[in-house]
Amino acid sequence: MTKPSAGPDIATALVVMMGGALGTGCRYALSLLPGQTGPLHPGTLLANLIACAGYALLTSFLAGLPKSAHARRRQLTNRGLGMGLCGGLSTMSTLSLELVQGLLGGQVRATLAYLLISFAGGLMVSWAMAALGARLAAHIQAGVR
């Protein structure tokens, strides 16, 4: 016998929307930082680095926790903070626009440096925060035993 379709999950949709609204609001606040003109845009860079760090930490932490009766809570946390908050905070479209504008403005070296800083920085903070998340989960598991 097959399991019937659960249909739309209202709770998941709500936590994603709430997280997304918060992430988008934070993203907007970061866009108000000074120095948003020229080839380097600190608001976009910070938003993307914070989102990479947060999502890597969250994902690694949740994956390292023991499977338990809290699967639904874990799912809602992952969707609300990961997909919602971090998804609303990060902005590949704005980064792409800023890169094209920098190239069209003749600032090729500075624009390529911004691209490298954005991607290398995102990878580095993701790696570091994933390691931290795994350590935190292992620490919690050690205390549970």
Side-chain angles (χ1 to χ4, degrees):
M1 180 182 231
T2 61
K3 186 177 176 181
S5 173
D9 182 356
I10 300 302
T12 299
L14 287 174
V15 297
V16 169
M17 285 187 283
M18 289 188 308
L22 182 59
T24 303
C26 291
R27 166 72 189 97
Y28 175 73
L30 288 170
S31 76
L32 300 176
L33 289 173
Q36 297 298 324
T37 59
L40 180 65
H41 300 263
T44 302
L45 181 62
L46 280 173
N48 287 333
L49 292 178
I50 292 168
C52 286
Y55 203 45
L57 176 69
L58 176 71
T59 302
S60 180
F61 176 73
L62 291 177
L65 292 177
K67 305 297 181 232
S68 68
H70 303 292
R72 179 66 173 154
R73 186 180 307 164
R74 181 186 317 211
Q75 178 194 31
L76 291 174
T77 300
N78 186 30
R79 296 299 191 275
L81 295 178
M83 185 183 294
L85 178 69
C86 293
L89 179 60
S90 65
T91 174
M92 187 65 177
S93 59
T94 301
L95 174 62
S96 298
L97 175 64
E98 291 165 353
L99 293 170
V100 167
Q101 288 173 336
L103 291 173
L104 292 175
Q107 299 171 315
V108 175
R109 284 187 182 169
T111 300
L112 292 177
Y114 179 39
L115 175 65
L116 179 63
I117 291 167
S118 294
F119 281 92
L123 289 171
M124 287 190 302
V125 298
S126 294
W127 174 79
M129 297 313 282
L132 178 61
R135 273 186 248 135
L136 289 172
H139 180 71
I140 288 173
Q141 281 199 55
V144 171
R145 294 179 191 165

